Amino acid sequence: TMTMLCTLANGQTAKITALPPGMSGRRLEALGLRPGKVVTKVSGMPFFGPVTIALDGRQIAIGHGICCKVSVEPLAERNAKG
């Protein structure tokens, strides 16, 4: 089953498997998100606010709607340190 970035638990790490097509996907690529990248969800604001993720040692806030279009593969906790 497909897991979306917006459904990860806070602190959960996952590998991006696909970005949305079109402009939103290109904007995410400009931020450094691309398939194969490992990200950690830092926090999600309630009521569909922005989702903060950690990527390459920095934190990025992404709109909730776009997060729900990014498919990810959750990683096992013990591999997160890799």
Side-chain angles (χ1 to χ4, degrees), residues 5-79:
L5 185 54
C6 62
T7 62
L8 292 178
N10 289 351
Q12 192 171 11
T13 300
K15 184 169 73 178
I16 297 172
T17 55
L19 296 178
M23 273 309 294
S24 49
R26 287 201 289 278
R27 276 211 303 274
L28 293 173
E29 282 183 339
L31 292 171
L33 278 77
R34 50 184 62 91
K37 278 280 189 185
V38 173
V39 300
T40 302
K41 180 174 173 182
V42 177
S43 64
M45 290 289 137
F47 309 114
F48 307 111
V51 174
T52 302
I53 61 165
L55 168 73
D56 296 336
R58 59 205 167 96
Q59 292 193 1
I60 303 170
I62 300 175
H64 187 272
I66 293 183
C67 275
C68 288
K69 297 189 177 99
V70 177
S71 55
V72 296
E73 178 187 314
L75 301 177
E77 292 304 317
R78 65 180 179 279
N79 295 338

